[in-house]
Amino acid sequence: MVGTTDILNARILVVDDSSVNVLLLERMLRVAGYSSVTTTTDPRAVRDLYRENRHDLILLDLLMPGMDGFQVMQGLKDVETEGYLPVLVLTAQPGHKLRALQAGAKDFVTKPFEQVEVLTRIHNMLEVRLLLRESRNYGRLLEQYDQLTGLPNRTLYRKLLTRALDRSAARKRIVSVLFVAVDRFENVNDALGPEIGDALLRLVGDRLVGCIGPMDTAARIEGHEFGLIVATSGGDPQTAGTVANKVRHALRRPLEVGGAEVAVTASIGIAVSPADSPDAETLMKYAGTALHEAIGAGRDTYRFYSADMNARALETLELENSLRNAVERHEFILHYQPKMRIDTGEWSGVEALLRWQRPGLGLVLPSRFIPVLEETGLIVPVGTWVIETACRQIGEWAHSGIGRMRVAVNVSSKQFLRDGFVPDIARAIRKNDIAPESLDIEITESSLMSGSEEADNVLRELKALGVRIAIDDFGTGYSSLAYLQRFPIGTLKIDISFIRDVTTNPDVAAITVAIINMARSLKMKVIAEGVETQPQLEFLRRHACDEMQGYYCSRPLPAAELAKLREEDRAGTPRCTPL
Ligand code: C2E
Ligand code: MG
Ligand code: MG
């Protein structure tokens, strides 16, 4: 829509050799409300002025010495790129009317003129002019978008990629180009018809948008092929692999089309800038090549263009595939690490830590596989297994010589915020007939940051059950203690990175003391993680930290070994008694 303000802001050029005429016309326009009026008495200047300013309207006198209005219009035709000359001719000779219109003028006014008539003609001409420009811009915009999905098309994708590359070069960011093809799309199209096929592509487009950041791009390149542009500041080219996996998992969830549920897989080719090439066209070519490799490898997978990145990516894929079956194959076990009271040296409980006995590769630590579990969503079934196993262990110990033992279980935020988390815990407690107070849940600050209302509810439900909550790795997130105060949290675990330096770095020592004191004022218990040396323990004791956990007392141990250690400790002097 063209509004009055648009019309009054339109750029108008007045051309007349008589400076009095120019002044009069200009004044008339200003009084009528036009804000952008330029004038010239030199017909030779018109061409350049127009080329530079693209006026929306030129009021042109026909009779001028040196160069007449017809010549001016002739000159304008060369610089007019939109095929529309917005000229309104003013002349004292009515006989020139036809010739002027034939020369390209859009309208004609005879002098002496009536002000109202001229102003109305000007208004009408501007309206047409602006409508035309608007629809042209819109048309140009539409041409760059895919009609079906509403995503940018190949042309715009290339432009956006070029821009992303330009911007990222200066900031030393990595730009990844991912080509995503829906596997066996022709089969869907043949079996269910092109309408369902189209609907499917639209949904795939939506899912892809959900897999990338707000500043990234998803486009439809052609047919069933999509393109992503992902810029990362982290500097790890393998991030593209993470995105590729996200896409694979997102598409695997069933899509509802035409009353049926369709699950699709995708093949993905990746090229990375600057490693593979700094150039948009080349990157797109490489991503295409990599896509063909992925399809050739049997589909439902991704490939990098470069060989060594592939090697690393394949490792991750292998890891993921082995993890998929690890629960059923009973490859996970829990190890337990004791926590001790610093003042008395008594055991206060243990933390359950997940281990993976990977066939042929021995014991794998969580840092290697927890991120993959989280990425693939496998953390949910595995986490449920951990809770179930820990509760069973609590029950077994309770009925053995060990007696009541508190066990803390780590829970990732994905697991924590999932519906069914609290019911799972309640079931495990009931099934194993254990005291709810024997179970602690360790979560990180980030679980509370994302969606704090949901987190709040979960925490209150847990509290109602009788399960206690500890904040793990405290100090590595950005939450303040004051923020945490609103949640029902019993314990803070100071992150291992603080304890490591607590005796060597005065700043770290000061922060640690501050955390201990603030936690105490909020009536929370404080546990130090990763205590390895006597001086660290002494420091913590001096500052009245409540509990400790670390190699200094014991490494995490299999259940049977831990039980033995517990018995020994009970029989003799506890290993971490005060000196
Ligand atoms: P976390 O919960 O902070 O666990 C403490 C980590 O510090 C454990 O590493 C433990 O072995 C290690 N540690 C304990 N004492 C010392 C010490 O004195 N020195 C050093 N250098 N390290 C010490 P681990 O077992 O490798 O686990 C790493 C992380 O993996 C855990 O950190 C936790 O965030 C996560 N994790 C472990 N098990 C599970 C699980 O069942 N579910 C979930 N979601 N995450 C888990
Ligand atoms: Mg923990
Ligand atoms: Mg920790």
Side-chain angles (χ1 to χ4, degrees), residues 351 410 442 444 471-474 493-496 529 549:
E351 176 174 8
N410 292 282
E442 292 190 7
T444 55
I471 298 294
D472 207 347
D473 304 340
F474 185 78
K493 298 187 78 176
I494 305 177
D495 190 61
I496 196 164
E529 293 186 308
Q549 182 184 345

Side-chain angles (χ1 to χ4, degrees), residues 319-575:
L319 186 70
E320 186 192 313
N321 283 334
S322 330
L323 279 171
R324 239 169 242 294
N325 306 311
V327 174
E328 295 95 83
R329 293 188 184 152
H330 306 289
E331 292 171 7
F332 287 117
I333 53 160
L334 292 182
H335 280 186
Y336 299 88
Q337 186 178 35
K339 301 179 193 175
M340 320 262 181
R341 282 180 56 170
I342 291 180
D343 53 356
T344 63
E346 281 173 289
W347 286 42
S348 56
V350 295
E351 176 174 8
L353 294 157
L354 188 59
R355 301 289 181 263
W356 178 26
Q357 293 169 305
R358 193 176 179 189
L361 291 164
L363 212 59
V364 189
L365 290 176
S367 57
R368 184 77 185 100
F369 64 85
I370 295 259
V372 183
L373 291 180
E374 288 184 340
E375 215 173 87
T376 52
L378 285 168
I379 193 69
V380 173
V382 174
T384 308
W385 177 88
V386 169
I387 289 166
E388 166 61 30
T389 308
C391 288
R392 188 166 355 106
Q393 189 62 67
I394 294 172
E396 274 175 29
W397 276 333
H399 297 109
S400 75
I402 297 286
R404 183 134 164 196
M405 177 83 89
R406 274 176 74 169
V407 177
V409 165
N410 292 282
V411 171
S412 10
S413 63
K414 234 191 196 161
Q415 194 186 345
F416 178 76
L417 293 171
R418 181 189 61 102
D419 291 341
F421 172 65
V422 180
D424 274 358
I425 289 192
R427 192 173 320 113
I429 290 175
R430 223 180 312 119
K431 188 173 148 197
N432 294 285
D433 194 23
I434 60 169
E437 298 73 33
S438 309
L439 186 68
D440 286 0
I441 298 291
E442 292 190 7
I443 55 173
T444 55
E445 291 162 77
S446 58
S447 296
L448 300 180
M449 306 296 259
S450 49
S452 63
E453 198 165 322
E454 287 110 296
D456 215 20
N457 290 337
V458 177
L459 289 175
R460 283 177 210 292
E461 284 169 37
L462 286 175
K463 195 186 154 116
L465 264 184
V467 172
R468 274 176 280 201
I469 297 115
I471 298 294
D472 207 347
D473 304 340
F474 185 78
T476 54
Y478 295 98
S479 56
S480 64
L481 273 177
Y483 173 79
L484 292 180
Q485 199 184 359
R486 49 185 287 231
F487 300 108
I489 291 159
T491 307
L492 279 191
K493 298 187 78 176
I494 305 177
D495 190 61
I496 196 164
S497 57
F498 293 97
I499 309 307
R500 195 181 296 129
D501 298 333
V502 83
T503 52
T504 50
N505 182 332
D507 292 341
V508 170
I511 296 170
T512 307
V513 172
I515 294 176
I516 295 172
N517 291 336
M518 279 167 74
R520 174 154 319 101
S521 72
L522 294 172
K523 307 225 165 15
M524 292 183 192
K525 209 168 62 185
V526 198
I527 306 185
E529 293 186 308
V531 177
E532 293 186 356
T533 67
Q534 177 75 30
Q536 288 167 347
L537 177 57
E538 285 313 316
F539 178 93
L540 294 163
R541 181 172 288 138
R542 225 174 23 253
H543 293 284
C545 180
D546 298 299
E547 294 178 19
M548 62 150 299
Q549 182 184 345
Y551 296 170
Y552 182 71
C553 285
S554 169
R555 288 185 173 259
L557 299 170
E561 280 178 51
L562 184 100
K564 224 164 74 206
L565 188 77
R566 177 83 180 114
E567 295 294 356
E568 281 170 23
D569 249 27
R570 232 183 229 158
T573 21
R575 57 201 46 243

